[in-house]
């Protein structure tokens, strides 16, 4: 699937994992003292793919999310641009009425690309996450940042594993403020920077596997690429590989 042309919202998010004590230290940090606290909510998300994992192979996560008493949503996430920014994803949402995502509810170009990726294979549930989420909204330096504390479980067949995350998402404003907050929280609380997404963890659980080392990509450069373009692509690829293997 060519991700560059998908109609979507750009999601910029930094993820941390922690034990319960670490999340509590972060929640009590003075860095979040001025944040507006929202009521906790339960998120139940079921992820779908084909028997051959066609979407996963293509870097796409497709899920159906029920959020409190609100209407369910079909959500699709995939890499942004060249895919070398570990904190940026494209996110596309569509209304959902049944027990499985309706691909036709997505914009036509997205639905067409999904159909091409899936082919004749059926979509079926792969795993489900049950998350209790507490959200705080912080304004700093002209930026609006959502701070989400997630605690719950991933369930795949007869397997399950706990999930504890702190996620920082930039809603608006300068991205530098998101990075600054992440660095400050990492110094204030015992947090671990995470490269893996919930989808990554869920598929590892479903398949009974663990994270594999990331290898360097074979890069392709456009004929009209400038020195800056080539340098940015090389550095982006190297940093992405380093970050994935570090986390």
């Amino acid at each position: 699937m060519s991700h560059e042309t998908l109609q979507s919202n750009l999601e910029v998010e930094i993820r941390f994992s922690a034990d319960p004590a670490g999340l509590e230290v972060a929640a009590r940090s003075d860095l979040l003292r001025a944040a507006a606290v929202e009521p906790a909510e339960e998120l139940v998300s079921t992820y779908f793919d084909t028997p051959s994992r066609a979407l996963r192979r293509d870097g796409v996560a497709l899920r159906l999310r029920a959020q409190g008493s609100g209407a369910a949503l079909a959500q699709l996430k995939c890499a942004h641009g060249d895919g070398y920014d570990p904190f940026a994803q494209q996110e596309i949402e569509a209304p959902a009425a049944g027990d499985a995502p309706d691909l036709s509810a997505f914009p036509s170009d997205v639905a067409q690309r999904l159909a091409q990726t899936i082919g004749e294979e059926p979509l079926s549930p792969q795993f489900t996450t049950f998350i209790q989420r507490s959200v705080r909204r912080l304004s700093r330096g002209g930026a609006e940042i959502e701070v989400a504390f997630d605690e719950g479980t991933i369930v795949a067949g007869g397997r399950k594993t706990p999930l504890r995350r702190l996620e920082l998402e930039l809603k608006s404003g300068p991205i530098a403020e998101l990075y600054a907050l992440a660095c400050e929280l990492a110094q204030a609380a015992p947090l671990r920077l995470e490269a893996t997404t919930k989808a990554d963890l869920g598929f590892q659980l479903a398949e009974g596997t663990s994270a594999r080392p990331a290898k360097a990509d074979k890069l392709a450069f456009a004929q009209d690429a400038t020195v800056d373009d080539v340098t940015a692509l090389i550095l982006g690829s190297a940093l992405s590989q380093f970050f994935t293997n570090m986390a």
Side-chain angles (χ1 to χ4, degrees):
M1 180 182 292
S2 175
H3 304 315
E4 290 83 351
T5 58
L6 291 179
Q7 299 175 6
S8 66
N9 295 317
L10 178 62
E11 178 186 73
V12 182
E13 180 180 80
I14 298 176
R15 301 176 293 271
F16 294 99
S17 60
D19 60 18
L23 290 181
E24 181 66 21
V25 172
R28 293 180 178 274
S29 169
D30 288 342
L31 294 167
L32 303 181
R33 185 181 298 274
V37 180
E38 298 187 353
E41 58 183 355
E42 184 176 8
L43 307 176
V44 179
S45 302
T46 299
Y47 289 71
F48 289 78
D49 209 331
T50 67
S52 70
R53 303 283 199 268
L55 293 177
R56 178 161 169 75
R57 288 200 316 271
D58 206 33
V60 174
L62 179 64
R63 70 188 181 195
L64 199 64
R65 167 168 284 182
Q67 186 167 335
S69 59
L73 286 174
Q75 298 175 318
L76 182 152
K77 292 190 178 186
C78 62
H80 169 64
D82 57 24
Y84 294 135
D85 186 341
F87 306 124
Q89 295 184 96
Q90 294 188 76
E91 183 179 50
I92 307 126
E93 294 185 342
D99 295 330
D102 178 5
L103 301 187
S104 66
F106 287 105
S108 59
D109 61 332
V110 176
Q112 182 178 7
R113 286 172 173 78
L114 284 172
Q116 291 172 349
T117 300
I118 294 168
E120 299 299 321
E121 292 191 87
L123 280 176
S124 61
Q126 304 297 310
F127 59 90
T128 300
T129 62
F130 299 89
I131 303 295
Q132 191 73 17
R133 168 168 287 184
S134 299
V135 172
R136 303 184 185 191
R137 297 195 180 273
L138 181 66
S139 300
R140 56 173 279 169
E144 297 293 326
I145 301 172
E146 179 183 276
V147 183
F149 293 85
D150 288 351
E151 294 193 73
T153 306
I154 305 175
V155 178
R159 302 187 180 101
K160 64 180 181 179
T161 189
L163 177 70
R164 299 182 184 91
R165 288 284 175 96
L166 170 60
E167 298 181 347
L168 310 177
E169 182 179 348
L170 182 67
K171 291 300 186 179
S172 65
I175 195 172
E177 291 294 332
L178 178 70
Y179 294 144
L181 177 62
C183 290
E184 292 165 13
L185 278 172
Q187 292 178 335
L191 305 173
R192 177 181 174 83
L193 188 64
E194 277 291 347
T196 53
T197 64
K198 294 184 182 75
D200 293 329
L201 294 175
F203 278 110
Q204 289 170 18
L205 181 66
E207 297 165 358
T209 60
S210 57
R212 299 182 179 91
K215 298 182 179 180
D217 289 334
K218 183 176 182 180
L219 303 179
F221 306 107
Q223 290 186 344
D224 59 350
T226 66
V227 173
D228 286 347
D229 293 335
V230 172
T231 301
L233 189 60
I234 292 173
L235 290 177
S237 174
L239 288 172
S240 178
Q241 181 191 11
F242 172 80
F243 173 66
T244 301
N245 289 326
M246 176 193 71

